[in-house]
Amino acid sequence: MKKLINSPETVLAESLDGFAAAHADIVILGEERKFVRRKVLTQGKAAIVSGGGSGHEPLHAGFVGFGMLDAACPGQVFTSPTPDQMLAAIEAVDTGGGALFIVKNYEGDRMNFEMAAEMAGSEVLTVITDDDVAVETSTYSIGRRGVAGTMIVEKIVGAAAEAGMPLAGLKALGDRVNARTRSMGVALTSCTVPAAGTPTFTLSENEMEMGVGIHGEPGRRRVPLEPAGQITEEMIAAIAGDLEGRGDAILLVNGFGGTPQMELYLMFHAAKAQMEKHGFRLARSLVGNYVTSLEMAGCSITLSLLDDEIARHWDAPVHTAGLRWGM
Amino acid sequence: MKKLINSPETVLAESLDGFAAAHADIVILGEERKFVRRKVLTQGKAAIVSGGGSGHEPLHAGFVGFGMLDAACPGQVFTSPTPDQMLAAIEAVDTGGGALFIVKNYEGDRMNFEMAAEMAGSEVLTVITDDDVAVETSTYSIGRRGVAGTMIVEKIVGAAAEAGMPLAGLKALGDRVNARTRSMGVALTSCTVPAAGTPTFTLSENEMEMGVGIHGEPGRRRVPLEPAGQITEEMIAAIAGDLEGRGDAILLVNGFGGTPQMELYLMFHAAKAQMEKHGFRLARSLVGNYVTSLEMAGCSITLSLLDDEIARHWDAPVHTAGLRWGM
């Protein structure tokens, strides 16, 4: 295992300490590193809280800050955080408006966030994201997996909360954005979880995993590597076939961690042509590593349908480590 | 070769088309893709122009925009752009204030930018960056290589130009920032240039290249993989030993393209402790993929000494694809 670490046991702790030090103007690391919270809270605002296994950075801690999340609970790599982490986070960031959980659809995450919601003294509502069209059930999920579209839900809901929308409205908005958002991924290589020490799966020199999950879970099929144009055609067709409505959309080309920007922009170029064939119009663009799988090579494509309200929240100022504009 | 591409010959063109489409609010792609320029120019401002081989994205095209570069000339992967590219760029963006070239210290880049400066109708001055302390001469350079510190020079000089500083002042400021900036890198894996199809170099399962260049050029020595703390200790000692003065500094931990954010933040954590031992104070932080080597695993560490003027320009608003704050 070739990694820039000291020991597999301390990766998360040292990484979180580095993150908190690098972004001390935005975040505070909670006691016992149970959560990362926003430095400045707004009294009475509904708190947006997310979290999940680590290894997907900048998701979620990288999206804590003005206009997005109030807190994120990091589990060990690809491992759900525990209910006491969410409880500590809520206690730290609920200033009277209650809390909205944004949870990717994996069994462990759902169970632990649900437990925390039941135990919390605050009012808590939950949005489950399940934007991955690749497979109907998977290694860690019943129903579709929540993947890169999650960061779009976090951005939109975070902006709406900032604008003063109360908890029930945020829940409805989050569900609505999730329903208008679809993703699919492809992997060229595996990643290696530090605690495991060996690659999660293996692909031969000429193979790719079409429809891969963000933990390296199997997708639709393992096939010989195809040109970017063909890969994109299949991915956009799967997304479009599953998405009701056409029109203005966000196109997110999300790197999994080991793919150069040159390739991501090349994929963006191909995806734009394909989405237009299916009747979508490129209204907003995002290209980069946002929801990763450690050093996995590959990327996902996400389309998210806009309307005036959603576009306004997408464009609203955001100030986090991983996403920043307008301030 | 596992890459998300259509063919090695069209990687750069398709990638640039994707980049221009994704960031159409900021940039315009020049004719024949000779350069990427800023969409909105300021009359009379000195133009900041950079460029170099592709494969280091977001450097340089990703730094075109308000507060940073006016134009960037992309060569083929790890290949210098040609003088006619710089001439076309100058013609497009010089609005009367002349042009400052920011050039990484590689023979090919220097020769071609120098030729362009001689042929240009505009007044042109040049800042050469050579921040890499690893080796005194290398595969493509006589004297030290220009690496990640280049983006710090581009940010500071770009902000000063935006504030109205004339050409001669910008040249002096750029030289001064370069002289206060030192970097060193480490690679865990090689990258593969699309046109070559095979890895640039090979490292065994337990080896790393200490002092690697951003094209995979050899560094100081090839040694067994060490813990992050030890690697950082050696890198910061080399940087500190070469840097006159102590005090407030920018700490940039720059991923080479294939290293997860978790590891970069872990390296940041270790580097911060080491820099403080050497008498530097963490005043500004930057962690991410800024000056990459395609999908190479590894990172570089850069320290750049601040003073009031430099800090003010660092903090000034910037709006590019790769770096954005304050707007």
Side-chain angles (χ1 to χ4, degrees), chain A residues 14-25:
Chain A
E14 291 174 61
S15 178
L16 284 172
D17 287 353
F19 179 82
H23 305 290
D25 55 329

Side-chain angles (χ1 to χ4, degrees), chain A residues 194-214:
Chain A
T198 53
T200 305
F201 61 105
T202 46
L203 286 169
S204 75
E205 189 44 48
N206 193 36
E207 271 181 336
M208 61 177 183
E209 180 74 36
M210 197 63 163
V212 73
I214 57 172

Side-chain angles (χ1 to χ4, degrees), chain A residues 1-7 10-23 54-58 62 77 186-189 194 203-208 225-231 257-270 272 282 285-287 289 292 294-295 297-299 321-322 324-327, chain B residues 1-7 10-23 54-58 62 77 186-189 194 203-208 225-231 257-270 272 282 285-287 289 292 294-295 297-299 321-322 324-327:
Chain A
M1 174 174 59
K2 288 185 114 168
K3 290 186 181 290
L4 294 167
I5 63 175
N6 288 308
S7 87
T10 58
V11 170
L12 180 58
E14 291 174 61
S15 178
L16 284 172
D17 287 353
F19 179 82
H23 305 290
S54 294
H56 306 300
E57 290 70 27
V77 173
V186 62
L188 304 192
T189 67
L203 286 169
S204 75
E205 189 44 48
N206 193 36
E207 271 181 336
M208 61 177 183
L225 187 59
E226 293 167 1
Q230 248 172 279
I231 296 172
T259 291
Q261 263 199 17
M262 283 193 88
E263 294 177 38
L264 297 182
Y265 280 112
L266 190 150
M267 288 293 284
F268 180 90
H269 177 62
K272 176 175 182 288
L282 179 70
S285 309
L286 201 62
V287 182
N289 295 329
T292 61
L294 296 169
E295 72 280 8
C299 73
R324 182 169 179 180
W325 56 65
M327 60 194 297
Chain B
M1 174 174 58
K2 288 185 113 168
K3 289 186 181 291
L4 294 167
I5 63 174
N6 288 308
S7 87
T10 58
V11 170
L12 180 58
E14 292 174 58
S15 178
L16 284 171
D17 287 353
F19 178 82
H23 304 291
S54 294
H56 305 301
E57 290 70 24
V77 174
V186 62
L188 304 193
T189 66
L203 286 168
S204 75
E205 190 42 48
N206 193 36
E207 272 181 335
M208 62 178 182
L225 187 59
E226 292 167 1
Q230 247 172 280
I231 295 172
T259 292
Q261 264 198 18
M262 283 193 87
E263 294 177 39
L264 297 181
Y265 280 112
L266 189 150
M267 287 292 284
F268 180 89
H269 177 61
K272 177 176 181 288
L282 179 69
S285 309
L286 200 61
V287 182
N289 295 329
T292 60
L294 296 169
E295 72 280 7
C299 73
R324 183 168 179 180
W325 57 66
M327 61 193 298

Side-chain angles (χ1 to χ4, degrees), chain A residues 117-299:
Chain A
E118 281 168 16
M119 293 165 68
S122 306
E123 188 188 357
V124 178
L125 296 177
T126 300
V127 170
I128 305 288
T129 63
D130 59 353
D131 52 309
D132 190 344
V133 301
V135 291
E136 285 304 321
T137 61
S138 179
T139 317
Y140 309 110
S141 72
I142 299 170
R144 292 179 172 194
R145 302 173 295 215
V147 291
T150 306
M151 69 93 67
I152 295 178
V153 174
E154 292 180 353
K155 170 68 182 84
I156 305 292
V157 168
E162 213 67 63
M165 188 181 282
L167 194 57
L170 294 170
K171 153 77 176 155
L173 177 62
D175 286 340
R176 195 158 74 78
V177 174
N178 179 61
R180 298 162 70 88
T181 302
R182 294 288 187 278
S183 303
M184 188 160 155
V186 62
L188 304 192
T189 67
S190 178
C191 57
T192 296
V193 175
T198 53
T200 305
F201 61 105
T202 46
L203 286 169
S204 75
E205 189 44 48
N206 193 36
E207 271 181 336
M208 61 177 183
E209 180 74 36
M210 197 63 163
V212 73
I214 57 172
H215 311 90
E217 310 97 296
R220 293 188 166 189
R221 53 203 179 88
R222 189 163 292 190
V223 287
L225 187 59
E226 293 167 1
Q230 248 172 279
I231 296 172
T232 313
E233 188 176 347
E234 179 173 339
M235 289 165 86
I236 296 281
I239 289 168
D242 202 83
L243 201 48
E244 274 180 52
R246 292 294 184 264
D248 281 8
I250 301 168
L251 171 58
L252 162 60
V253 174
N254 169 61
F256 283 145
T259 291
Q261 263 199 17
M262 283 193 88
E263 294 177 38
L264 297 182
Y265 280 112
L266 190 150
M267 288 293 284
F268 180 90
H269 177 62
K272 176 175 182 288
Q274 290 297 329
M275 74 185 275
E276 287 165 353
K277 277 191 196 163
H278 285 275
F280 299 96
R281 200 183 73 82
L282 179 70
R284 301 291 186 280
S285 309
L286 201 62
V287 182
N289 295 329
Y290 292 102
V291 179
T292 61
S293 307
L294 296 169
E295 72 280 8
M296 192 159 85
C299 73

Side-chain angles (χ1 to χ4, degrees), chain A residues 29-109:
Chain A
L29 186 57
E31 254 182 67
E32 298 172 46
R33 304 189 184 88
K34 283 184 180 172
F35 57 86
V36 172
R37 60 158 273 202
R38 205 194 282 208
K39 197 173 167 187
V40 181
L41 302 173
T42 306
Q43 287 303 311
K45 184 182 88 71
I48 313 293
V49 177
S50 190
S54 294
H56 306 300
E57 290 70 27
L59 189 85
H60 295 273
F63 299 137
V64 171
F66 182 90
M68 218 159 161
L69 303 179
D70 290 272
C73 303
Q76 289 292 328
V77 173
F78 296 173
T79 302
S80 300
T82 54
D84 70 306
Q85 291 184 260
M86 296 92 169
L87 289 170
I90 286 186
E91 195 168 335
V93 300
D94 179 10
T95 58
L100 184 75
F101 283 163
I102 299 178
V103 183
K104 302 193 296 303
N105 187 35
Y106 300 101
E107 290 309 288
D109 289 0

